[in-house]
Amino acid sequence: MTQNLVSIITPMYKGAAFVGETVRSVQAQTYPNWEMIIIDDCSPDDGAGIAEVRKYTEKDKRIKLIASPVNKGSSGARNIALREAQGRYITFLDSDDIWSS
């Protein structure tokens, strides 16, 4: 656990069309000490969501991608990401939601 780090858990299923805006809404926050863990829940989109998230992971090391080989549903995806979270604080943000700045 890292002191004062916020872990943002984002399950994604068929989220390619929305996840970019979701990531940008997190990046627009004024608090910089966060990690965003996006878990692709075996989306049947030929990797479109994963490709979209990789655009952000390449530029921002705070964003991490996990590709689940098996669909576990949103709660199962959250649990996978929770095991990887390093933050003292945990928050959930769906792949089709945005945060106001």
Side-chain angles (χ1 to χ4, degrees):
M1 178 178 7
T2 303
Q3 192 74 3
N4 299 322
L5 179 68
V6 176
S7 294
I8 303 159
I9 306 297
T10 302
M12 178 176 68
Y13 185 78
K14 298 182 186 177
F18 309 106
V19 73
E21 187 174 0
T22 301
V23 171
R24 289 189 300 276
S25 80
V26 171
Q27 291 174 317
Q29 301 305 305
T30 58
Y31 186 76
N33 197 13
W34 53 264
E35 67 175 349
M36 183 176 196
I37 304 169
I38 302 171
I39 173 89
D40 180 76
D41 194 25
C42 198
S43 294
D45 61 2
D46 294 324
I50 290 172
E52 182 66 25
V53 172
R54 282 196 178 131
K55 293 177 189 176
Y56 296 94
T57 61
E58 292 170 0
K59 296 176 184 171
D60 192 335
K61 298 302 176 195
R62 298 175 296 179
I63 302 167
K64 299 167 180 76
L65 172 65
I66 300 171
S68 176
V70 177
N71 181 276
K72 296 190 177 261
S74 60
S75 61
R78 285 184 181 99
N79 286 334
I80 291 169
L82 278 169
R83 286 191 284 277
E84 299 298 318
Q86 298 296 308
R88 178 175 183 186
Y89 306 101
I90 304 288
T91 187
F92 299 101
L93 178 65
D94 289 337
S95 63
D96 61 350
D97 287 340
I98 58 171
W99 280 344
S100 298
S101 56

